[in-house]
Amino acid sequence: MLTKLRALADESPDVGLPDLMRAFDESQRGQLYQALFESRARQHASRWLVVVAGCDVLFFDPQSSAELVRKVNIDGPAGALRSVRFVAPGNGDGEAVLLIGAANGIYEMPISASQPSRTYLFEPKENVRGGVNAVALNGDDLVATHSEQGAIHWHRSDPKQAMPLLADLTASAQAVRHAQFATKRFWCSIDANIVTLPATDLQADPKVIDAGQSTITALAVVGDDIYAGTANGEILHWADGGDSGPERLHAGSRRAAESVNLITTGGIPRLFYTDTSLAV
């Protein structure tokens, strides 16, 4: 069957594999998905698995997750570490960087460095116990989300100037999470809403997408497709940039979704998500 599918792909190069697979019956499609997945050569593309704990950035070998290969201690003014994001080379840099969310700000650290190259601070409110949940970078714009502080914007060229973002929406919010630049827009979640702004005008009026009653705990935007996971375990999908109501892809099991992402392998897009169980 796999040989037949590949022959069809050669004959119709403009047709995607998911459409070509409709020529097979349902039971055959299941076998084809498995065969395509197993036929791909295994490639070790990831160099490190990076984790933050306390004031340490821990680098593990992804092929042997128990092996700690490097540790960087950051004892800086932004406080204890809470989150980390890898940013590939770009934005005028020749080296990838880690954006490390902390209690009172963000550390920016080149991947091979032993200390941060920049620190972005904000003035914390009283009795803040959490930290930065997520960070997104787009050119000179750096945005962080923090459930107690809201959303904070810096110009990368001026790390000392923290500016509140979406203040009216976050003032009474319980959960301000996620940060992503995609489709020329900035995206985050505030309680049970997805909020988006033009990437070129972060002070513009936001677009708010209502996801229902449950807090959003996972978010990914891929083209015009929006995927969200909720505190009750639902996985939701908007196919048109959020202009209409969502499709429920998974009904949930009362375990909060922790991550969601769309990854294309072998020409087949696959949606991966995790919750508070050990399953993927």
Side-chain angles (χ1 to χ4, degrees), residues 52 78 81-88 97-109 118 120 122 131-146 150-154 156 176-182 186-188 219:
V52 294
L81 314 182
R82 181 173 176 95
S83 62
V84 60
R85 167 164 282 180
F86 172 81
V87 179
V97 299
L98 296 178
L99 297 175
I100 303 165
N104 303 319
I106 300 166
Y107 297 110
E108 178 182 329
M109 186 175 78
R118 290 185 179 97
Y120 306 83
F122 57 77
V132 169
N133 293 317
V135 188
L137 176 64
N138 180 55
D140 192 44
D141 291 308
L142 184 72
V143 182
T145 54
H146 187 301
I152 309 103
H153 173 216
W154 292 265
R156 197 162 174 242
V176 184
R177 297 173 174 165
H178 318 295
Q180 181 183 359
F181 284 98
F186 170 75
W187 303 80
C188 69
L219 180 65

Side-chain angles (χ1 to χ4, degrees), residues 47-48 50 57 59 70-72 86-87 89 94-98 100 108-117:
R47 185 176 178 185
W48 292 303
V50 183
V57 185
F59 295 76
R70 184 179 164 214
K71 181 171 79 171
V72 174
F86 172 81
V87 179
E95 185 178 9
V97 299
L98 296 178
I100 303 165
E108 178 182 329
M109 186 175 78
I111 195 74
S112 62
S114 59
Q115 284 298 305
S117 58

Side-chain angles (χ1 to χ4, degrees), residues 154-166:
W154 292 265
H155 291 300
R156 197 162 174 242
S157 55
D158 187 8
K160 296 182 179 180
Q161 184 63 42
M163 299 167 282
L165 194 65
L166 300 167

